[in-house]
Amino acid sequence: MNKEFKVRNSFVLFFLLTIFSLRIYAEDKISISIEKGDLEEFINQVEQKTRYKFVYSDKVNLKVAVTLKASDITIEEAVVSALKNTNTDYKISGKHIVIAPAKVKTITISGYVTDKESAESLIGATIYETSKSIGTNSNSYGFYSISIPSGNISLKYSYVGFKSIIIEENLQKDTVINISLTNNMILKDVVILSERKETDFHSTLTGAVEIPVKQITSGPALLGETDVIKTIQMMPGVNSGIEGLSGMYVRGGGAEQNLYRLDGVSIYNIDHMLGINSIFCPEAIKRVDLYKGSFPARFGGRISSVLDVHTNDGDMYKYHGAFTVGLLSSRLNFEGPIIKGKTSFLLSARRSYYDLLMRPFMPDDEKVGVKFYDMNLKLNHKFSDKSRLFLSSYNGSDILHSEYKYDWSSDYYYGNNLEEEDIKLKWGNFVTSLRWNYIFSNKLFSNVRASYNQYKMIYADDCWSKN
């Protein structure tokens, strides 16, 4: 028992002596004088005047400026004063002083990039930290997230046709920054010519092409009717099949091997009038992306291509629209706020008058009329900076209406009878979707969608006789 007690007391004594010796080392006094020197000079003086040795890696900048003049101060006070502005941490362990670069905290900055006038989300806006050469782009919903070292930041927000904004702040924690860019009307149109990449929007996606809306509205028109598909037919690797129709054959694939999406929902039939027009109304379109290869997994499997069409969200601050009269159809597009800054709507409609133009030139006993119509409706509500709700709907149909009259007066069995036959054939798409965007964290963006789509054909045959 006495032996165990002695061993225990010896251990406690050794431990107390060790702690005491370390404390004595830390409280050693030193007088030091450095004028416009560097960290290397400070290390040399301390090692020469004391029993301490410095331990550091090659990542420590020994040439950083140090100015220190003091007498009779502790080693720890001298080290703190010398490393005050060097972004360097230290630790005193026995006779060794370990110095290392200070750990840099990483923060995440996220938010939405929108048009200041309409609050429309800007897809593919550039966010670039100028001092650290770190950048990113906003996604298809205008959301961005960028992780950078904390401290002084200089973020530049830019988008083609808009005035750039630079945000300079000292940030030490994750921050949400929503930016609204102003349309830049100072410069005139600038034409940039390149050999190949003027339409590529992702260098990592082979065969991915963005078709600007301006190119669609100013593209080739059949009897004054501009069309998305006819603009795409001018792209490399895309063929129209039959000239003048809206078929799309990509790199040898068939027309049925393409996937067509409207606001994230698949469309089964994109043709009006058996291919003369497509169902996409140019005034309602915000962005068109064509994938000729390397399809993202979110689209599922397709053999030939994917055409992803996004419609406008609706102006949240002012009302505006357009009414277009063409040779074969008329279009109406109107958008504006329901609750200013919170809720907006978009209404787009188109109706052809092929039937009105054809019927006057047909005989009275054979009247055939063909027409089509499209309607797009979109509602956009902003609950908060983190939560937004979208309701979009499309309804479009082709209608074939024929009236035939048969005079059987010379027939022996029927006598003086007049038979009329009325036939209607209607086919088209109905698509609706409810989409909720929510930001759970600076690095987690969710897009939840419930959708319904339908393609149907209705045939009606109404026959009767008159005496």
Side-chain angles (χ1 to χ4, degrees):
M1 191 70 178
N2 292 333
K3 187 176 181 180
E4 293 180 359
F5 180 76
K6 291 180 179 179
V7 172
R8 186 180 303 170
N9 287 344
S10 300
F11 177 77
V12 172
L13 181 60
F14 174 76
F15 179 76
L16 292 176
L17 289 175
T18 303
I19 297 298
F20 181 71
S21 62
L22 293 178
R23 186 175 179 182
I24 290 176
Y25 289 143
E27 292 181 355
D28 283 350
K29 303 292 185 176
I30 187 175
S31 297
I32 193 167
S33 177
I34 301 175
E35 293 184 3
K36 296 182 180 180
D38 53 25
L39 183 58
E40 185 176 14
E41 183 180 351
F42 171 76
I43 292 174
N44 292 333
Q45 286 198 27
V46 173
E47 290 183 342
Q48 291 173 5
K49 296 180 179 180
T50 67
R51 296 169 292 175
Y52 289 91
K53 298 295 182 183
F54 282 84
V55 179
Y56 51 87
S57 68
D58 55 359
K59 295 182 179 180
V60 176
N61 183 13
L62 299 179
K63 299 301 179 183
V64 64
V66 173
T67 299
L68 178 61
K69 188 174 183 180
S71 60
D72 199 25
I73 61 174
T74 64
I75 295 298
E76 188 169 4
E77 291 174 343
V79 173
V80 170
S81 299
L83 302 181
K84 182 170 56 176
N85 298 319
T86 62
N87 197 26
T88 306
D89 290 335
Y90 76 94
K91 181 179 181 182
I92 300 177
S93 177
K95 297 181 180 181
H96 296 89
I97 303 174
V98 181
I99 58 176
K103 293 182 179 179
V104 179
K105 179 184 176 183
T106 300
I107 61 172
T108 300
I109 301 174
S110 61
Y112 284 96
V113 183
T114 58
D115 183 348
K116 187 174 183 179
E117 294 184 2
S118 64
E120 191 80 31
S121 60
L122 298 181
I123 303 173
T126 301
I127 300 91
Y128 183 71
E129 213 294 325
T130 57
S131 61
K132 301 176 180 63
S133 300
I134 301 174
T136 188
N137 296 97
S138 59
N139 64 12
S140 55
Y141 309 105
F143 176 78
Y144 75 94
S145 177
I146 183 172
S147 297
I148 57 177
S150 61
N152 294 323
I153 61 104
S154 178
L155 279 179
K156 182 178 181 181
Y157 297 82
S158 59
Y159 191 75
V160 177
F162 287 74
K163 188 177 180 180
S164 299
I165 293 179
I166 297 179
I167 303 296
E168 294 182 345
E169 289 188 23
N170 188 307
L171 300 178
Q172 301 297 331
K173 61 180 181 178
D174 295 347
T175 307
V176 175
I177 301 179
N178 295 318
I179 292 296
S180 297
L181 299 181
T182 304
N183 197 346
N184 189 1
M185 303 300 292
I186 299 176
L187 296 178
K188 297 181 179 179
D189 292 345
V190 177
V191 179
I192 301 176
L193 301 177
S194 65
E195 295 181 356
R196 176 64 182 87
K197 296 182 179 180
E198 66 266 13
T199 57
D200 289 354
F201 66 93
H202 268 304
S203 59
T204 58
L205 295 178
T206 305
V209 178
E210 177 193 349
I211 297 91
V213 177
K214 186 176 181 179
Q215 183 177 345
I216 296 172
T217 55
S218 61
L222 177 64
L223 298 177
E225 298 290 327
T226 58
D227 191 83
V228 174
I229 303 298
K230 290 183 174 60
T231 303
I232 294 175
Q233 289 172 355
M234 303 176 62
M235 299 291 174
V238 183
N239 196 355
S240 61
I242 301 176
E243 188 68 30
L245 299 184
S246 60
M248 195 170 74
Y249 300 84
V250 180
R251 293 178 176 172
E256 73 283 356
Q257 296 172 346
N258 304 311
L259 170 63
Y260 303 98
R261 290 163 52 94
L262 180 63
D263 283 335
V265 184
S266 299
I267 298 288
Y268 296 118
N269 178 47
I270 65 160
D271 295 331
H272 281 312
M273 300 291 295
L274 302 177
I276 296 179
N277 295 94
S278 72
I279 66 171
F280 305 114
C281 190
E283 286 79 7
I285 293 175
K286 176 167 67 173
R287 182 186 176 107
V288 179
D289 297 330
L290 174 64
Y291 299 82
K292 295 183 288 185
S294 301
F295 311 138
R298 65 180 181 273
F299 295 144
R302 276 304 185 272
I303 299 176
S304 187
S305 71
V306 176
L307 182 66
D308 194 19
V309 179
H310 299 270
T311 58
N312 291 318
D313 296 333
D315 197 321
M316 280 196 173
Y317 296 105
K318 60 182 180 180
Y319 297 97
H320 58 86
F323 181 67
T324 306
V325 178
L327 295 176
L328 302 179
S329 68
S330 294
R331 302 190 297 269
L332 171 66
N333 188 79
F334 187 64
E335 59 183 294
I338 298 176
I339 302 175
K340 195 170 184 179
K342 283 286 186 181
T343 308
S344 65
F345 75 93
L346 167 72
L347 176 63
S348 180
R350 175 171 60 172
R351 203 275 195 194
S352 70
Y353 26 82
Y354 292 93
D355 54 335
L356 303 178
L357 297 176
M358 294 168 58
R359 292 174 69 90
F361 300 98
M362 293 183 178
D364 293 337
D365 57 348
E366 294 183 6
K367 295 288 187 181
V368 179
V370 181
K371 64 181 179 181
F372 70 83
Y373 68 87
D374 296 298
M375 290 191 66
N376 288 87
L377 175 65
K378 194 167 187 180
L379 300 176
N380 169 24
H381 180 70
K382 182 179 179 182
F383 294 103
S384 65
D385 290 338
K386 291 186 175 183
S387 181
R388 300 184 75 172
L389 188 69
F390 301 86
L391 175 64
S392 60
S393 181
Y394 166 81
N395 187 22
S397 293
D398 288 69
I399 301 174
L400 174 63
H401 185 198
S402 62
E403 299 175 2
Y404 295 93
K405 297 180 181 180
Y406 301 96
D407 187 359
W408 299 96
S409 59
S410 61
D411 191 277
Y412 175 78
Y413 295 101
Y414 288 93
N416 189 16
N417 289 341
L418 182 65
E419 182 178 286
E420 295 183 358
E421 185 176 7
D422 190 2
I423 300 175
K424 285 186 178 181
L425 185 61
K426 181 178 179 181
W427 65 96
N429 298 281
F430 175 72
V431 175
T432 185
S433 67
L434 183 66
R435 176 164 55 87
W436 178 49
N437 289 157
Y438 189 78
I439 304 174
F440 288 95
S441 67
N442 290 324
K443 294 186 178 181
L444 182 59
F445 175 86
S446 69
N447 178 47
V448 181
R449 177 188 293 111
S451 61
Y452 172 81
N453 59 348
Q454 180 188 56
Y455 173 73
K456 63 181 179 180
M457 179 177 289
I458 301 174
Y459 175 77
D461 185 357
D462 184 13
C463 301
W464 68 92
S465 297
K466 289 184 179 181
N467 290 326

